[in-house]
Amino acid sequence: MLSALVDDLSRIPGIEVISLLARCRFPSNPGPAFHGVDSDTEERRFREMAGNADFTLVIAPEFENILAQRCQWVEDAGGRLFGPSLAAVRLTADKYALAQFLQTRQVPTPESWLLRAESYEAYETSEVCSSFPAVLKPRFGAGSLATYLLRRPSDLARMKSAARHEGMIGDMILQPWVPGKAVSVAFLIGPKQRLALPAASQDLSKDGRFHYQGGSVPLPAELADRARRLATKAIDQVPGLLGFVGVDLVLGPDSDGSQDYLIEMNPRLTTSYIGLRALAETNLTEALLNVATGKEVAPLKWRPGQVHFRSDGRIICEE
């Protein structure tokens, strides 16, 4: 995903791209656009580069405050985020707070019960959820880390222990499991314009862990319209969104959309960018840059057919 974005930005006249990579994970520098840093020098180099750049786009997971912290570094350095405001990042990264926020605004999203880390062992299942199957997941998480399907109340204690074993020591939330088709809709958002990109299906593992395995784009027209309507309703409620924002949803069995639910909102670039990029007839990142900086962009053009992609960014099939 990062390589694709850097490549697309590098093809825009007048753009110089510099990206930071953890040296421990990328010991061999993949190119002049990438700068390796160690953990003890990352913050200093990040702040320095963010302060000198016209824009900083942060690609990072929400857990352990990684995304929000680096957005804070940009603001502290006097830089300009090429993405949502820090307040919008903090709201959308907090799955419990976002659910409460959207429910008060009549956006359908599963009810959420908060399980605070310091009180894990004190919870009785009957106190936090009366609807099963249910989903247990981190309050702050990404990539389906420590996410489990609970088929019955007695599963809660075992899954809480499993989450601890995976290193999840923070708050968790419990939500009723929502049946249906997992999909996503991404938006390019700017001060004057907002473009909804083609909706994509999500391939999730069937082992009760909901691991994201990739997807395909676009959805059939009827499903895409339902997904876009609900995602747009949610986007409308959150102030401070800018740049590339992804929305995850479940489309229920009723064709009228009455059983469709918003699941999460991602204030960052998502893997679906890979499939959308392959489907776009023009440079998608150039459109993103123009929209985010307040320029008017004509409706985007898309190739016919469908693109299938993996979670690691590989395109596996173009039909």
Side-chain angles (χ1 to χ4, degrees), residues 84-315:
S85 68
L86 179 60
V89 168
R90 291 196 185 282
L91 173 61
T92 54
D94 185 337
K95 295 176 175 55
Y96 180 72
L98 180 65
Q100 303 303 108
F101 177 85
L102 292 178
Q103 283 184 338
T104 63
R105 289 155 176 80
Q106 289 71 55
V107 176
T109 188
E111 187 173 0
S112 297
W113 290 269
L114 179 62
L115 281 67
R116 291 201 175 277
E118 63 271 16
S119 307
Y120 270 2
E121 305 310 320
Y123 286 108
E124 294 292 337
T125 308
S126 59
E127 295 175 347
V128 294
C129 183
S130 58
S131 178
F132 282 82
V135 177
L136 179 70
K137 60 185 177 182
R139 180 178 183 177
F140 302 92
S144 298
L145 174 71
T147 300
Y148 309 91
L149 177 65
L150 280 59
R151 300 189 181 279
R152 57 192 67 85
S154 58
D155 289 340
L156 180 59
R158 179 166 55 88
M159 295 310 183
K160 285 191 297 185
S161 177
R164 291 281 201 188
H165 188 263
E166 282 194 44
M168 177 46 59
I169 59 174
D171 295 348
M172 304 285 286
I173 62 172
L174 196 63
Q175 298 176 323
W177 173 74
V178 177
K181 184 175 182 61
V183 305
S184 67
V185 182
F187 292 82
L188 307 185
I189 302 175
K192 297 181 179 179
Q193 191 177 16
R194 181 180 63 202
L195 299 178
L197 306 182
S201 68
Q202 294 184 328
D203 299 330
L204 305 180
S205 65
K206 308 296 185 183
D207 58 357
R209 296 299 310 276
F210 305 99
H211 289 306
Y212 180 68
Q213 299 175 325
S216 58
V217 61
L219 281 179
E222 180 183 347
L223 293 178
D225 184 60
R226 284 166 51 187
R228 187 169 51 252
R229 285 201 308 269
L230 179 51
T232 299
K233 184 176 182 179
I235 289 286
D236 284 343
Q237 305 305 314
V238 180
L241 295 178
L242 184 79
F244 190 104
V245 176
V247 180
D248 296 337
L249 314 103
V250 170
L251 303 183
D254 283 1
S255 60
D256 63 0
S258 59
Q259 293 180 299
D260 297 348
Y261 287 88
L262 182 139
I263 304 300
E264 295 178 4
M265 191 177 293
N266 300 300
R268 54 173 171 78
L269 204 70
T270 65
T271 307
S272 63
Y273 176 81
I274 299 298
L276 291 162
R277 175 185 189 244
L279 196 68
E281 290 190 345
T282 57
N283 188 331
L284 192 56
T285 300
E286 186 171 13
L288 170 60
L289 180 62
N290 287 334
V291 169
T293 54
K295 298 178 182 177
E296 291 291 334
V297 175
L300 302 181
K301 296 182 180 180
W302 306 94
R303 298 185 178 93
Q306 192 170 52
V307 173
H308 304 266
F309 55 94
R310 295 291 192 196
S311 58
D312 62 4
R314 290 181 296 128
I315 299 296

